[in-house]
Amino acid sequence: MTDRESRVRKFGLIIVAYPVVLVLIGLGLNVFLFGIEPAAIALPAPAILWALVIAGTLLVLNHTWLMTATELTRLKYNMHASPEEWAENNARKEDVAEQGWIELDRHHNAHRNATENTVYFGVVAVIFSVVSPPVLAAQIWLVGFSVARLGYTFSALRGKPGLRGLFMSLSLLSLYGLTGYLVLSVVA
């Protein structure tokens, strides 16, 4: 086996194990820290509603940050969003420095990642909030996800892959924590 094959095999196992470990941590925290109650559909308690409002506000701020940073990058490198804008500004894609494309790609990747994760979070968070979860679980999972997304955006835009991975793990842990609680509360 070559060094490359060995490396691919090793990291392949890590990639497969990564979400499984996060799911197990989320389940463990739900069971041993928060406790699981059978799902009881009700309007969210005020503290849970506040957690939803804070989480939503942080996610809107995150989106605004990504949107603004992307547009500032376009401005810095004289880049445009549509063929019409390129033509209106008498600009050509060939004239943009390679670094501009690298930075724009970085911003687009961060924005795409935020959107992908936030869609799932929104669906699960709303359902989670109406099954009468423990307030502490709601506050940690809901606000934790949003804070982790802000950390992810910071580290992604600043080119800090280790920190980006940490915040991605924390946001996934929150997402798996929400989902795991729902599953356990339905089968309890």
Side-chain angles (χ1 to χ4, degrees):
M1 183 179 302
T2 68
D3 285 343
R4 166 122 173 84
E5 290 170 333
S6 176
R7 184 177 186 277
V8 167
R9 187 172 199 182
K10 174 184 169 188
F11 283 103
L13 290 172
I14 291 170
I15 290 168
V16 170
Y18 170 75
V20 173
V21 169
L22 290 176
V23 166
L24 292 174
I25 292 170
L27 289 172
L29 289 170
N30 280 322
V31 169
F32 299 113
L33 181 62
F34 306 130
I36 305 295
E37 295 292 327
I41 306 301
L43 289 174
I48 294 172
L49 186 59
W50 270 111
L52 271 173
V53 168
I54 290 167
T57 301
L58 292 175
L59 290 172
V60 168
L61 289 172
N62 191 55
H63 172 74
T64 302
W65 181 5
L66 286 162
M67 173 187 72
T68 303
T70 301
E71 289 308 312
L72 288 171
T73 297
R74 283 193 176 114
L75 178 65
K76 179 178 178 178
Y77 292 100
N78 194 28
M79 302 170 88
H80 305 281
S82 69
E84 298 78 19
E85 289 178 12
W86 284 97
E88 285 174 7
N89 289 283
N90 207 19
R92 298 175 338 140
K93 291 181 178 181
E94 311 71 69
D95 296 336
V96 175
E98 180 65 24
Q99 189 60 38
W101 294 113
I102 291 169
E103 290 305 315
L104 186 62
D105 192 45
R106 174 190 310 278
H107 287 71
H108 283 167
N109 286 339
H111 207 146
R112 192 171 25 256
N113 187 278
T115 302
E116 292 165 356
N117 283 274
T118 302
V119 167
Y120 294 111
F121 171 78
V123 170
V124 175
V126 168
I127 297 168
F128 174 83
S129 297
V130 298
V131 299
S132 304
V135 170
L136 183 60
Q139 291 169 332
I140 288 175
W141 294 142
L142 296 170
V143 177
F145 176 85
S146 301
V147 169
R149 292 310 312 174
L150 286 167
Y152 181 92
T153 294
F154 169 79
S155 54
L157 295 182
R158 296 288 187 262
K160 299 181 180 296
L163 197 55
R164 181 179 57 84
L166 171 67
F167 284 116
M168 187 67 207
S169 295
L170 292 173
S171 66
L172 283 173
L173 177 61
S174 296
L175 193 54
Y176 294 152
L178 288 168
T179 306
Y181 185 90
L182 282 173
V183 170
L184 293 174
S185 73
V186 169
V187 298

